[in-house]
């Protein structure tokens, strides 16, 4: 797909606008890897939450504060993801895809979900509820995650160049982010109904 896209030219021989954008994006990734990955993660997360609100929840108004919270979490998690992938590539040989996958799913995934639920508790002014949220939500989230992400991460570790792994994760994570948005909103509604 990338090769077909990269070969795309207009009839006059000039590069297509999409090709020009991709070339610019790759250049930014090389010059500013963490910033580029973080901005991309934030924009995709923002888009995913807005999509969830409009299409899944059928909300008439877009809660941009809520969307911004999800986007900011993605921006903040991105450097950790960047260095995690670098660590895996240094610590394990390129042929050890399965070990990378296990480490990613059994170490990084639980940590990232703990950080997610803690962050959401803090930004929603519910920090005291974080332990209960983790008890109620962490394992069910991991079980669902482990049904989806191992295959995606296997593709990521096996076929995607290292500098594009977070982009691949972000694009596939767009749908996962919609699920996480819905999960967080369901929890938030449950808490609100209990306090009434």
């Amino acid at each position: 797909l990338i090769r077909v896209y990269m070969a795309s030219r207009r009839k006059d021989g000039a590069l297509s606008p999409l090709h020009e954008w991709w070339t610019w994006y790759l250049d930014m990734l090389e010059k500013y890897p963490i910033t580029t990955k973080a901005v991309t993660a934030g924009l995709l997360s923002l888009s995913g939450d807005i999509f969830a609100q409009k299409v899944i929840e059928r909300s008439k108004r877009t809660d941009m504060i809520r969307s911004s919270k999800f986007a900011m979490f993605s921006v903040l998690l991105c450097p950790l993801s960047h260095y995690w992938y670098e660590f895996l590539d240094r610590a394990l040989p390129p042929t050890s895809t399965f070990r990378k996958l296990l480490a990613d799913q059994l170490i990084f995934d639980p940590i990232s979900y703990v950080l997610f639920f803690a962050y959401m508790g803090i930004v929603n002014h519910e920090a005291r509820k974080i332990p209960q949220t983790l008890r109620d939500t962490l394992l069910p989230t991991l079980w669902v995650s482990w049904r989806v992400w191992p295959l995606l991460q296997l593709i990521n570790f096996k076929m995607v160049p290292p500098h594009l792994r977070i982009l691949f994760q972000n694009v596939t994570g767009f749908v996962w982010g919609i699920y996480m948005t819905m999960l967080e909103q369901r929890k938030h509604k449950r808490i609100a109904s209990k306090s009434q």
Side-chain angles (χ1 to χ4, degrees), residues 14-109:
L15 296 176
S16 71
L18 197 55
H19 185 161
E20 289 177 7
W21 175 86
W22 182 250
T23 303
W24 171 82
Y25 184 82
L26 291 176
D27 186 48
M28 292 295 101
L29 229 111
E30 190 174 323
K31 289 179 182 172
Y32 314 104
I34 295 173
T35 303
T36 303
K37 291 172 187 178
V39 169
T40 303
L43 289 173
L44 284 169
S45 182
L46 183 77
S47 303
D49 186 65
I50 292 170
F51 180 87
Q53 289 183 51
K54 291 295 184 190
V55 177
I56 309 293
E57 298 168 16
R58 303 208 186 281
S59 176
K60 295 194 186 315
R61 292 177 28 107
T62 303
D63 184 348
M64 288 306 292
I65 293 173
R66 173 185 131 173
S67 297
S68 299
K69 291 174 184 177
F70 282 95
M72 185 52 69
F73 176 77
S74 294
V75 168
L76 294 172
L77 187 66
C78 200
L80 186 60
S81 299
H82 172 85
Y83 289 116
W84 170 249
Y85 283 139
E86 280 190 353
F87 166 77
L88 287 177
D89 286 340
R90 278 194 318 272
L92 299 168
T95 56
S96 58
T97 303
F98 187 71
R99 291 192 316 195
K100 287 179 183 179
L101 179 64
L102 278 176
D104 188 63
Q105 296 300 299
L106 298 177
I107 298 169
F108 191 74
D109 261 19

